[in-house]
Amino acid sequence: MKNILVTGGAGFIGSNFIHFLLKTEPKVNIINLDAFTYAGTLENLKDLPDVDRHTLVNGNICDQDLLADLFQRYAIDTVVHFAAESHVDRSISGPGPFIQTNIAGTYMLLEAARSYWAGQRIPQG
Ligand SMILES: NC(=O)c1ccc[n+]([C@@H]2O[C@H](COP(=O)([O-])OP(=O)(O)OC[C@H]3O[C@@H](n4cnc5c(N)ncnc54)[C@H](O)[C@@H]3O)[C@@H](O)[C@H]2O)c1
């Protein structure tokens, strides 16, 4: 089984990706991390093809401790990153959350992956 961390999986593209993956790939477990901003909704996750292979976590990609725990707990081997501030009009009236999620959050996610996977490597020699 592959253990895939999908971020922003309650949003438009992420939720469609999860529906598609559960339907077409029998050997995946999905951990769906979403902060449920104005854009994320449980409506998008109704009628998933196989709920037993979907774990929903209500949390923020900027939360380093949560990320470290998820990588460890679910032995994540793949990340698909959709979590974002995505509404351009909002970026003009209030850019702060965009910087936080899209830049700092993406960095924290990458760093959590690097740190966890570096620890998984088998030492050579
Ligand atoms: N929708 C499009 O047509 C389109 C086209 C090209 C690229 N994209 C890109 O794909 C990505 C996803 O787009 P979308 O349309 O699904 O956006 P969306 O706004 O519908 O979904 C984003 C999801 O991310 C979640 N989220 C926001 N901040 C978070 C945080 N800090 N931690 C965890 N979750 C958080 C939201 O709750 C939401 O569920 C974005 O990067 C977007 O720019 C979208």
Side-chain angles (χ1 to χ4, degrees):
M1 292 295 276
K2 288 190 80 62
N3 298 318
I4 304 182
L5 176 63
V6 177
T7 70
F12 175 59
I13 295 185
S15 62
N16 279 288
F17 175 75
I18 288 172
H19 277 269
F20 174 77
L21 209 59
L22 288 175
K23 206 182 305 172
T24 57
E25 293 291 337
K27 292 192 172 170
V28 298
N29 286 316
I30 296 174
I31 314 307
N32 177 3
L33 173 61
D34 200 294
F36 288 93
T37 66
Y38 55 87
T41 167
L42 284 175
E43 274 295 297
N44 288 340
L45 298 169
K46 267 186 8 194
D47 304 324
L48 285 177
D50 186 349
V51 284
D52 291 343
R53 292 187 287 119
H54 175 256
T55 302
L56 181 60
V57 179
N58 185 346
N60 201 302
I61 59 164
C62 299
D63 183 340
Q64 281 177 302
D65 291 342
L66 174 63
L67 287 174
D69 180 63
L70 292 178
F71 272 89
Q72 189 74 45
R73 183 190 305 244
Y74 296 105
I76 299 297
D77 52 51
T78 306
V79 175
V80 184
H81 180 35
F82 297 109
E85 290 289 335
S86 63
H87 293 197
V88 175
D89 288 353
R90 285 176 179 259
S91 74
I92 297 164
S93 56
F98 285 73
I99 303 294
Q100 192 56 32
T101 289
N102 299 4
I103 298 175
T106 297
Y107 166 71
M108 285 174 193
L109 181 63
L110 288 169
E111 190 56 26
R114 187 196 62 76
S115 171
Y116 175 70
W117 288 330
Q120 295 291 298
R121 271 197 214 116
I122 299 162
Q124 300 297 306

